[in-house]
Amino acid sequence: MKEEGEKVKPFAWKPMILLTLSFIVFGWGIDHVGFIPALLGLIVLSAAAGQVFRWKEVIVLSVVLIAGAVGIFIYGIELPYPLFWWR
């Protein structure tokens, strides 16, 4: 007996690729370009994985998340990551 229901949608390759790439960029970037640029790459690529990408929202999200992460991880628990490649 066959039942009607929602069709199976095709696999979402874009989010899978962009999220994987964002993790790779962060992992590489934290040692090579610094904590803040690595976080920025992670946030932008992760936001691009969604269905809607709005630059204004991504900029506000980036500022808030980076400020919180720097406050918690760099100054709060004093992880020894450089903020930028020159520092």
Side-chain angles (χ1 to χ4, degrees):
M1 189 157 92
K2 182 177 177 183
E3 292 191 29
E4 295 295 321
E6 288 187 39
K7 302 267 184 194
V8 175
K9 296 180 182 178
F11 188 75
W13 286 104
K14 177 186 167 190
M16 181 65 84
I17 291 169
L18 284 175
L19 288 175
T20 303
L21 184 62
S22 72
F23 298 140
I24 292 169
V25 165
F26 180 76
W28 176 86
I30 200 161
D31 289 331
H32 293 86
V33 296
F35 189 66
I36 291 176
L39 272 176
L40 183 62
L42 175 78
I43 294 165
V44 171
L45 286 171
S46 297
Q51 293 180 354
V52 178
F53 184 87
R54 295 185 183 102
W55 275 107
K56 290 179 184 178
E57 291 178 4
V58 172
I59 291 170
V60 171
L61 177 70
S62 297
V63 169
V64 171
L65 287 175
I66 289 172
V70 168
I72 291 169
F73 297 112
I74 303 300
Y75 298 113
I77 59 176
E78 298 177 355
L79 290 178
Y81 295 122
L83 294 179
F84 295 98
W85 61 90
W86 65 80
R87 198 172 156 211

